[in-house]
Structure formats: structure tokens, C-alpha cells
Amino acid sequence: MLATVCAVVYGTADFFGGLATRRSRVLAVVLLSQIAGLALLAALLPVLPGVLTTEALAWGATAGVSGTTGMVLFYRALAVGVMSVVAPITATTSAALPVLFGLATGERPEPVALGGVLLALVAVLLVSRDSSAAASGRGYGPVLASLAAGAGFGGFFVLLSQAPEGAGMWPLLGARTTSIALIALLALATRRPPRPGPGTLHVIVAAGTLDMAANALFVLAQQRGMLSLVAVLVSLYPASTLLLARYVLGERLNTVQVVGIGFTLAAVALIAGG
């Protein structure tokens, strides 16, 4: 239940983030949303129990590097690509990575889960086919960025799960402070002031707050269940992103993409079922 709610919240956060990147620079959206999320985390730390250790903060910081890389690439893909295509590609990649990590560390998922990984690869190829006029000239840039973003998010899940038992929300503090520092340094290096576009600040704050709420739900779910199950359930988040993109933005998909999205959700379901 925690993982399913987490997926809904992640998907809603990504929708708001995607909207913001269309009128603001990516670095501004990421930095300001991360700061908004840190404010929520500060309120959660005294409420949710946990033991503060150097190891917990270190694993969180490492996860923060992976997650920040994924977020920058993801928001970039959302800014130049079609939201209802970018989200499923990112999700299938981030769902498959924890399964592959489990295989490398000795886990042996059921054959149905491995079949889900293969189906996910097919889904990526199908859902990436955007033949609309609006997509002409985009090439494979958004697709490659989406794949890389999914790897970053998958790494975030794997690394965060390595924090010591009983750490509570403290690993998220390490992740979030590292993320803010990296984005601030990147903004300074590129000399791009992180100013939000007109009328986007409230959207950015909503994206950051929801993202941190989803992170907290993931930590709670992972502490109570297996990573290989929780991570793929969380990766169902495109469902809410797609619904919002469909009914708020009026995005349309071609037949191949519709089949690909169906394969995407089926792949995540197979991985979770394994």
C-alpha cells in the first residue's frame, strides 16, 4: 500500500515538474523544488523515528548524487519531449535496475520477473515511437535522456536501500543536502541564475513537496518490504502522470505508443509479480 501511494505521489510530482520546466530553466526547477522538499523533510524528521549515523548520511549522499543526475536528465527530457512518452521510459528503466542489482548480489527472482525485464525493453522501443508532427526533429535525445534518468532513479532506490536498518528519514537528509549542493554548484558553473519563470514558483514548490513526500513513502515501504518488489511498484508512477497529461494537457498518443505503454505497465506488473 505504501509503495502504491508512493507511485501516485511521484507521478503527480513529475507532472508538476514537467509543467514548470516548460516555462523555467531546468536548474531553477530542480534547485527550488529540492529546497521546498528539504523544508518538508525538516518537518518529518522529528515525527518519524530514526537513528542518525554517519553511515546513514553517507549512503543518502551517494543516493543523492544518482537521484540528482536522474532528476536533471528527467526534467530536461520533459522539457523537450512528450510527457506521456518520457515518463514510461524512465519508469521501466528505474524498475529494471533494482532487479538487475538483485541478480548481481545473489537474488534469484522468479522467471516471470525476468520476463518482465525483457518485456520492458520491448516497451521502451514501442513507446519511443513518436510520429506526430510536434515530435519532428527531436530525434532520440529525449529517449536517451529518459533512459539515463531512469538509471539515475534506479540507482537512487538501490543506494538508499543500503542505509542501515533503523535510520529512518536521515538518509534522505544526506540525499537532499547533497542534491542541493550539486545543483547550486552547477548553476554557478553555468552562470545561470536559478530564477523561476513567471507564475511557476507555486508549481515548483508543489513538485518539490510532493517529491519529498514520495521519497519518505519509499523509505517507509522499503523498510517493510523487499527492494525488488517495492521499487517496481513505485515505478508504476507514470500511470498518474499519463492521466494528468491526458486530461489536463490533452496529449495524444499514436497506436504504437498506446501498445508500448500497455507493455510498459505489463512489464512492471510482471516484475512486481516475480
Side-chain angles (χ1 to χ4, degrees), residues 20-83:
T21 55
R22 296 185 176 186
R23 289 187 290 169
S24 295
R25 290 175 176 172
V26 172
L27 288 182
V29 174
V30 175
L31 179 59
L32 295 176
S33 66
Q34 296 287 286
I35 293 173
L38 183 61
L40 176 61
L41 179 60
L44 292 176
L45 285 173
V47 178
L48 299 175
V51 179
L52 173 61
T53 63
T54 302
E55 185 180 1
L57 292 177
W59 278 113
T62 307
V65 173
S66 181
T68 301
T69 303
M71 182 170 291
V72 171
L73 291 170
F74 181 64
Y75 279 0
R76 175 60 182 169
L78 287 175
V80 300
V82 179
M83 187 180 296

Side-chain angles (χ1 to χ4, degrees), residues 96-256:
L97 190 59
V99 175
L100 297 177
F101 174 80
L103 287 173
T105 55
E107 292 183 1
R108 292 296 176 264
E110 296 293 331
V112 65
L114 297 178
V117 174
L118 296 176
L119 184 60
L121 298 177
V122 176
V124 168
L125 294 176
L126 294 177
V127 82
S128 303
R129 290 286 303 276
D130 191 349
S131 59
S132 63
S136 59
R138 288 176 181 169
Y140 288 97
V143 173
L144 295 177
S146 301
L147 290 169
F153 291 148
F156 176 80
F157 294 146
V158 170
L159 293 168
L160 203 59
S161 71
Q162 302 305 299
E165 187 176 352
M169 297 293 116
W170 289 108
L172 290 179
L173 179 63
R176 187 48 52 100
T177 53
T178 300
S179 175
I180 292 175
L182 288 174
I183 297 301
L185 288 174
L186 186 58
L188 288 174
T190 57
R191 297 182 179 181
R192 294 179 178 179
R195 289 193 297 266
T200 61
L201 182 58
H202 66 289
V203 180
I204 295 173
V205 170
T209 303
L210 289 169
D211 178 69
M212 178 53 70
N215 287 340
L217 288 168
F218 169 78
V219 169
L220 292 174
Q222 188 274 320
Q223 290 170 350
R224 291 160 173 78
M226 296 182 295
L227 173 66
S228 57
L229 176 61
V230 170
V232 291
L233 288 176
V234 168
S235 296
L236 285 168
Y237 72 86
S240 53
T241 306
L242 293 176
L243 287 173
L244 289 168
R246 170 67 179 84
Y247 291 104
V248 176
L249 301 181
E251 288 190 355
R252 295 292 189 271
L253 302 173
N254 60 44
T255 303
V256 175

